[in-house]
Amino acid sequence: MRVFDGEGREWTAQLAPAERRGLARVEHLEPVDAAREPLVRVTLGAGILKGDHMDAVVRDGTMMGAVGIVPLPTDLVTVPQKAWQGTAALERWRRVAIASAKQCGRALVPGIAPPTDLEAVIRQHLGSTMIMFVEPSADASAVAVSDIAVPRQEALVLVGPEGGWSAGEVSAARAAGVHLVRLGPRTIRSDAMAAVSLAALWAVWKI
């Protein structure tokens, strides 16, 4: 069997009975090469979605190689605060990330941050490549994915909630140096955007 530490390291190992009933001990650890991580460290900021849809964002963001995921209580989020405030939702999303890493053979589990305001997330990533995926009609200045140069090391990728981004959020992001990016003429489901946006970026950046 293989075991991993969630920080990018992986080993082959064997399970042996432990002294306490119901437990097992890992033995004969041998380091192995873990699946390669993307060359660009991407933090995914995602508008908070209802129930299982947010779980899907965390699952797919983990599967597609994000190193961090930040839930965003944006202007048009319709999920009641009591559903995402506190520790219960955060602990569930972290369990989802671990399960997704196990399923897709990834040795690194992305950090799941507490819900954070969009403005604060952008401020934390000033100096890195920042990308906001917007709907086709959201802003005339939005560019295609192919127009975004490969970042040197880090990038922030922002995807919105079911209601999309507000006009104020789009304007503020653009003023802060965030690239507004469109994905063609179709409106894509918000719970699919984590997988779709990262897949598009990896394909264009060839990494």
Side-chain angles (χ1 to χ4, degrees):
M1 63 173 293
R2 289 196 175 195
V3 296
F4 66 101
D5 63 359
E7 297 181 358
R9 294 181 293 269
E10 191 169 349
W11 300 264
T12 58
Q14 294 179 355
L15 287 181
E19 294 180 358
R20 293 180 59 187
R21 185 176 180 181
L23 300 179
R25 185 173 65 252
V26 178
E27 294 183 339
H28 306 301
L29 291 171
E30 293 291 340
V32 296
D33 292 332
R36 185 177 69 84
E37 288 292 314
L39 298 179
V40 178
R41 293 175 57 83
V42 167
T43 297
L44 176 70
I48 296 173
L49 306 180
K50 299 174 183 176
D52 292 346
H53 294 309
M54 195 63 193
D55 292 353
V57 169
V58 173
R59 179 198 66 208
D60 293 348
T62 301
M63 175 183 69
M64 294 304 298
V67 299
I69 299 173
V70 186
L72 304 173
T74 57
D75 290 347
L76 300 182
V77 163
T78 59
V79 184
Q81 289 188 6
K82 63 181 181 180
W84 49 264
Q85 285 184 331
T87 60
L90 188 59
E91 290 173 356
R92 183 180 74 249
W93 295 331
R94 288 172 174 166
R95 290 194 300 270
V96 170
I98 292 171
S100 180
K102 290 179 180 178
Q103 186 175 36
C104 67
R106 187 181 182 195
L108 189 150
V109 177
I112 312 298
T116 308
D117 290 341
L118 176 63
E119 180 182 354
V121 172
I122 291 175
R123 189 166 57 248
Q124 292 165 5
H125 289 83
L126 291 175
S128 64
T129 298
M130 299 183 291
I131 299 166
M132 173 182 276
F133 282 90
V134 298
E135 295 184 7
S137 60
D139 194 287
S141 67
V143 300
V145 178
S146 56
D147 293 325
I148 305 299
V150 182
R152 291 184 178 179
Q153 291 182 322
E154 298 186 357
L156 172 66
V157 174
L158 301 168
V159 296
E162 283 98 338
W165 303 108
S166 70
E169 288 169 338
V170 172
S171 178
R174 183 177 59 245
V178 178
H179 299 283
L180 305 182
V181 176
R182 61 179 183 275
L183 279 173
R186 297 176 184 83
T187 297
I188 297 173
R189 285 171 52 109
S190 52
D191 58 339
M193 275 301 297
V196 172
S197 60
L198 291 178
L201 290 171
W202 298 149
V204 169
W205 293 342
K206 297 182 174 21
I207 56 173

